[in-house]
Amino acid sequence: MPIVPGDPGESSPWAGRRVPPGQRVQAEAPIMHYGPVPKPARRPWTFTVGGATRSGRERVLGLDEVLALPALERVADMHCATHWTVLDQHWSGVSAAAMVALAPAAEGVTSALVFAEFGYAANVPLEELASGEAILATHLDGVPLSLERGAPLRLVIPQLYTWKGPKWLRGWNYLRPGDPDLGFWEDHGYHRHGGVWREERYDYQG
Ligand SMILES: Nc1nc2c(c(=O)[nH]1)N[C@H]1C(S)=C(S)[C@@H](COP(=O)(O)O)O[C@H]1N2
Ligand SMILES: [Mo]
């Protein structure tokens, strides 16, 4: 079962704690990403669900079609693997689980490579994408995302470290066993799953 955001789980040594192990709370999230901020409308914006889809075909959506999915809002804490945490951010947008339902994965798929502008990508377990907690976010704290924060769309999965939440999201590919499955940070030694309560920061932790 995916871990409920903010809840380490009853059997966890961190049960009842608000801040995951190894994190320090700060008031604001610094703008943090690798590479440049994309220019708006550089090219027609599309959202693509590809790879091992159930239909065997790629599904390409425009922003209006993405925003027509069921709305979702969550107050969540943001945890960067470099040890900072920001509490109580209010994200809103649409449900990533609804996107999974609209463009489902083939039988046996367990993860997706979620991708953004400029080739940034993150490996995300399908279970987390489909958990009902993952948001395709358009707004932070009631305000449309700025370009620096990932406009027009950003993935938010509160129970995973923030590198699993690409800004400038453009889609995902469902992975078959044996497909190249490392995103940007996983390829640089970070963890496959990235759960904050089990402190899954680095690959060498297994
Ligand atoms: N496209 C893209 N998304 C990204 C990143 C990136 O380098 N590129 N960095 C991630 C990391 S490591 C963090 S901590 C957060 C930072 O989000 P913020 O700039 O809103 O604080 O964005 C995440 N999403
Ligand atoms: Mo991060």
Side-chain angles (χ1 to χ4, degrees), residues 29-34 78 80 120 149 154 162 165-168:
I31 302 284
M32 235 185 171
H33 51 261
Y34 187 83
M78 179 174 181
C80 173
Y120 184 86
R149 293 272 180 217
R154 166 178 191 155
T162 315
K167 309 197 273 193
W168 317 300

Side-chain angles (χ1 to χ4, degrees), residues 175-199:
L175 299 174
R176 294 182 191 83
D179 283 345
D181 67 347
L182 297 181
F184 181 81
W185 287 114
E186 293 98 41
D187 202 26
H188 287 76
Y190 281 78
H191 199 277
R192 204 63 66 99
H193 181 245
V196 298
W197 291 104
R198 288 192 293 263
E199 221 180 335

Side-chain angles (χ1 to χ4, degrees), residues 37-169:
V37 174
K39 300 235 180 342
R42 217 157 45 92
R43 60 176 113 86
W45 190 97
T46 50
F47 190 95
T48 302
V49 180
T53 57
R54 190 169 302 166
S55 67
R57 286 186 304 275
E58 214 174 64
R59 178 93 192 222
V60 182
L61 299 96
L63 189 56
D64 51 339
E65 294 172 283
V66 175
L67 300 185
L69 292 171
L72 187 65
E73 288 186 32
R74 285 285 183 277
V75 175
D77 304 337
M78 179 174 181
H79 309 292
C80 173
T82 64
H83 300 277
W84 55 262
T85 282
V86 173
L87 301 175
D88 289 329
Q89 302 209 82
H90 184 172
W91 297 99
S92 54
V94 299
S95 158
M99 180 67 83
V100 172
L102 183 73
E107 211 61 46
V109 167
T110 59
S111 66
L113 202 55
V114 176
F115 57 85
E117 302 285 354
F118 304 134
Y120 184 86
N123 180 303
V124 175
L126 181 56
E127 191 182 40
E128 304 285 2
L129 267 186
S131 71
E133 297 298 331
I135 305 175
L136 306 177
T138 55
H139 290 67
L140 172 59
D141 295 330
V143 179
L145 288 177
S146 64
L147 265 182
E148 288 73 18
R149 293 272 180 217
L153 203 66
R154 166 178 191 155
L155 179 63
V156 176
I157 306 181
Q159 63 273 33
L160 301 184
Y161 288 115
T162 315
W163 92 82
K164 300 290 191 181
K167 309 197 273 193
W168 317 300
L169 182 67

